[in-house]
Amino acid sequence: EVRQEKLAAWDPVDLLIPEWRYLQKPALFPQQQNSSGLMVTEMQRDTHLHPRISRVIAVNKMKKANVVLGFTRLDDMDRVNDLVSRLVKLTRNGKPTWAPATEDRGEGIFLQLDLDAVVKWEQSILSTPLWGAYRSAHRRNFERRFSETAKNVDPDLRLPAPRYWLLHTFSHTLIREMAMSSGYGAASLTERIYGWTSTPQREAAAGLLICTTASDSEGTLGGLVALSEPKRLHGLVVSALRRASRCSSDPVCATRTPSDPEDFLHGASCHCCSFASETSCERANRFLDRRFLLNLPTATGVSVPGFFGSLDAL
């Protein structure tokens, strides 16, 4: 019964909580090394790196296991909680004795934002007309694209907090920039977003991991983790944010805001500026807006404070 209760209340974020907690304890880093396939190094921040990026961690080696346990046909796993009842198992009778899996190795860079600054910025976003427009668009999107299985779910509970939009957009801009310096194609880089508010079961998080993994030697070349060096990372972040400040589709892109009957979940974001390939993005290019990164010229009534401020502050 206890197991069934845990399965019913399972949230995909639960998979990320142990990773986030481990990354908060640098004293544990030397204990891992090669025995677990994980090697992590706390990097020194460049003195000129934006102060709202509080920590930089180089993931020199990492190992990722991908296992196929089942599939769904109708609703996204990350937006409806009754996963157990909707997941089609691989076998008709009982639990499978084995499941297809791959074990990939690679490298990555973890960036953590200042949690206090994120909380303060997030509170200023929640009361803006832009966030209200996204809440309404998400509700319309949820009601139109989900089956009867999800009809009793409150769409607001599935809308990621503003900090997730911030981290997600920042991750996409970094992926585009890193692809030009690391030696990997943009489609080979993937993101892992740690962005949730505090609850009784978990502490708040605001960080992102950009990594590349492969079943062959491609994930061990070192080109990505080399970008975590203080001076290189500072230049990369500045360049990425400057590119995010403009788009060839502006001013249409910079002022895009959903209104009834529209239900898209990307505002100031498009293929020209911040969309990523399907293999890179964990949310299918949803929950993106460059206005959460920087103070951009925008339509009257939908302007919001960018987390990193203006370009002059970079």
Side-chain angles (χ1 to χ4, degrees):
E1 293 178 355
V2 173
R3 182 173 177 273
Q4 291 299 323
E5 290 179 1
K6 290 183 177 180
L7 285 173
W10 181 77
D11 187 336
V13 170
D14 293 343
L15 293 172
L16 299 175
I17 294 175
E19 298 175 15
W20 170 260
R21 289 175 177 170
Y22 171 79
L23 291 169
Q24 303 307 301
K25 300 176 181 178
L28 297 177
F29 295 171
Q31 301 175 15
Q32 297 290 330
Q33 298 302 323
N34 296 327
S35 59
S36 64
L38 179 66
M39 184 176 179
V40 192
T41 307
E42 180 97 14
M43 300 297 290
Q44 184 178 3
R45 290 179 70 262
D46 188 271
T47 54
H48 300 292
L49 186 64
H50 200 289
R52 291 196 165 185
I53 300 176
S54 60
R55 294 178 69 217
V56 180
I57 296 176
V59 184
N60 308 86
K61 293 182 180 180
M62 62 179 291
K63 183 169 64 176
K64 182 174 69 172
N66 308 293
V67 185
V68 180
L69 298 177
F71 61 92
T72 62
R73 291 185 182 275
L74 300 174
D75 305 325
D76 288 345
M77 292 174 59
D78 61 341
R79 294 175 65 185
V80 184
N81 245 14
D82 59 339
L83 175 62
V84 178
S85 62
R86 294 182 300 105
L87 189 66
V88 180
K89 298 180 180 179
L90 297 179
T91 58
R92 294 182 180 273
N93 300 316
K95 293 183 179 179
T97 57
W98 63 275
T102 61
E103 187 176 90
D104 300 339
R105 289 174 169 81
E107 57 179 306
I109 301 175
F110 173 79
L111 300 181
Q112 181 174 327
L113 302 185
D114 186 318
L115 282 169
D116 293 334
V118 169
V119 171
K120 185 177 180 181
W121 171 84
E122 192 171 53
Q123 292 302 316
S124 68
I125 295 295
L126 292 173
S127 59
T128 60
L130 178 61
W131 187 248
Y134 281 137
R135 286 186 60 188
S136 299
H138 180 262
R139 181 172 290 274
R140 292 190 292 269
N141 184 288
F142 196 93
E143 291 173 350
R144 293 171 183 173
R145 288 170 169 76
F146 281 71
S147 68
E148 293 183 358
T149 313
K151 64 182 180 182
N152 295 324
V153 179
D154 182 4
D156 288 344
L157 297 178
R158 299 295 175 264
L159 177 63
R163 70 178 65 194
Y164 185 92
W165 294 63
L166 164 66
L167 290 162
H168 196 200
T169 310
F170 189 34
S171 173
H172 279 218
T173 60
L174 289 175
I175 285 175
R176 283 174 164 244
E177 194 67 27
M178 288 178 175
M180 294 186 285
S181 306
S182 64
Y184 299 106
S188 299
L189 303 180
T190 59
E191 63 187 3
R192 203 163 178 84
I193 308 297
Y194 306 86
W196 56 80
T197 56
S198 61
T199 68
Q201 293 77 30
R202 64 193 183 216
E203 65 276 16
L208 60 93
L209 171 67
I210 297 177
C211 60
T212 179
T213 58
S215 55
D216 56 12
S217 61
E218 183 184 3
T220 60
L221 296 177
L224 182 59
V225 76
L227 299 180
S228 63
E229 297 174 2
K231 289 186 178 180
R232 294 191 67 181
L233 182 63
H234 169 249
L236 186 145
V237 169
V238 171
S239 180
L241 290 175
R242 289 191 179 277
R243 289 181 186 275
S245 67
R246 53 188 179 271
C247 172
S248 58
S249 295
D250 283 343
V252 175
C253 178
T255 60
R256 185 186 295 113
T257 304
S259 59
D260 195 16
E262 297 168 327
D263 61 0
F264 56 83
L265 297 171
H266 57 275
S269 180
C270 68
H271 289 283
C272 300
C273 58
S274 53
F275 276 13
S277 63
E278 184 179 354
T279 56
S280 301
C281 181
E282 66 178 28
R283 288 297 188 98
N285 285 315
R286 293 174 295 160
F287 314 122
L288 297 166
D289 196 316
R290 292 182 293 125
R291 287 170 288 193
F292 290 156
L293 284 180
L294 298 163
N295 299 332
L296 298 181
T298 185
T300 305
V302 294
S303 59
V304 295
F307 181 76
F308 293 105
S310 62
L311 282 175
D312 297 336
L314 300 180

